[in-house]
């Protein structure tokens, strides 16, 4: 158990809908990262938050957004869902204070199926 | 961006055999991590190894940052070692870039 929790574990929804994925980082970690794993794109970085502020953006679609709350949990919002958004979404966390504390620990993932 | 290449793409071993998994990267990196993705999809941290050598039980890893590669050694493999092994590098702002993974099957 990495200490990172994600809910829900599975999500099945229809095209055009909107969903919210939730992540709680390890106790004490300030950085939260979101990644998407799909068969065709592999594991890709989406976005990072550090202590409530957006720090880095990767290949995140405009239909997707995220935020990190004062208690450090994070949510990833996916809207106008398309079939191609079906994937495993991971949240990771790290202490993130300095280079020595960047090791990332991954949650169990949320498997999203868009039908 | 940085390129991360892992080899071989697939590996089949008999239980008890040893193996070496390789990760090459195209630019200088701040950090490097090895993960094992089990059949249930969970990503398990194996090593955080920007340079040098580390050992954890039957697994060990070496990163030669100046030559831009890392090796993961698995000794006396077990069926529970099956899964996909990912190398991931942090080259800018701590976000990880992953390789495509190496699928390992250990047969009893």
């Amino acid at each position: 158990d990495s200490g990172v929790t994600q809910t829900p574990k599975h999500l099945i929804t229809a095209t055009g809908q909107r969903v919210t994925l939730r992540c709680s980082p390890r106790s004490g970690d300030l950085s939260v990262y979101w990644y998407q794993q799909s068969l065709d794109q592999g594991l890709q970085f989406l976005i990072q938050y550090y202590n409530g502020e957006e720090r880095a953006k990767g290949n995140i679609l405009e239909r997707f957004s995220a935020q990190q709350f004062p208690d450090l949990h994070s949510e990833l919002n996916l809207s106008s869902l398309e079939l191609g958004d079906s994937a495993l979404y991971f949240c990771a966390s790290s202490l993130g204070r300095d280079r020595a504390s960047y090791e990332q620990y991954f949650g169990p993932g949320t498997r999203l199926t868009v039908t | 961006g940085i390129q991360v290449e892992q080899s071989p793409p697939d590996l089949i071993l008999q239980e008890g055999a040893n193996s070496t998994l390789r990760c090459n990267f195209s630019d200088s990196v701040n950090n490097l991590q090895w993960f094992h993705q089990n059949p249930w999809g969970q990503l398990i941290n194996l090593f955080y190894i920007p340079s040098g050598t580390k050992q954890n039980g039957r697994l060990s890893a070496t990163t030669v940052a100046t030559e831009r590669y890392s090796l993961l050694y698995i000794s006396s493999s077990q069926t529970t070692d099956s899964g996909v092994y990912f190398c991931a590098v942090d080259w800018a702002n701590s976000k990880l870039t992953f390789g495509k993974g190496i699928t390992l099957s250990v047969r009893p």
Side-chain angles (χ1 to χ4, degrees), chain A residues 25-72:
Chain A
R26 293 187 320 156
S27 177
D29 282 359
L30 300 175
S31 268
V32 169
Y33 311 78
W34 287 96
Y35 293 84
Q36 179 194 58
Q37 185 176 29
S38 62
L39 281 174
D40 52 345
Q41 299 290 328
L43 263 159
Q44 289 203 59
F45 167 77
L46 295 178
I47 197 164
Q48 178 200 1
Y49 280 83
Y50 176 80
N51 205 18
E53 293 190 3
E54 182 183 303
R55 173 163 278 191
K57 248 182 178 177
N59 299 324
I60 188 166
L61 300 171
E62 285 192 9
R63 301 183 284 109
F64 296 1
S65 65
Q67 54 184 324
Q68 186 179 28
F69 295 87
D71 67 352
L72 301 177

Side-chain angles (χ1 to χ4, degrees), chain A residues 94-107:
Chain A
S94 71
L95 183 55
R97 287 191 189 279
D98 52 45
R99 292 202 187 287
S101 61
Y102 282 162
E103 182 172 5
Q104 294 184 30
Y105 294 85
F106 282 70

Side-chain angles (χ1 to χ4, degrees), chain A residues 2 21 25 41 47 52 64 70 80 83 85 100 106 111:
Chain A
S2 66
L21 313 184
Q41 299 290 328
I47 197 164
F64 296 1
S80 303
L83 294 177
D85 297 328
F106 282 70
R111 189 171 295 278

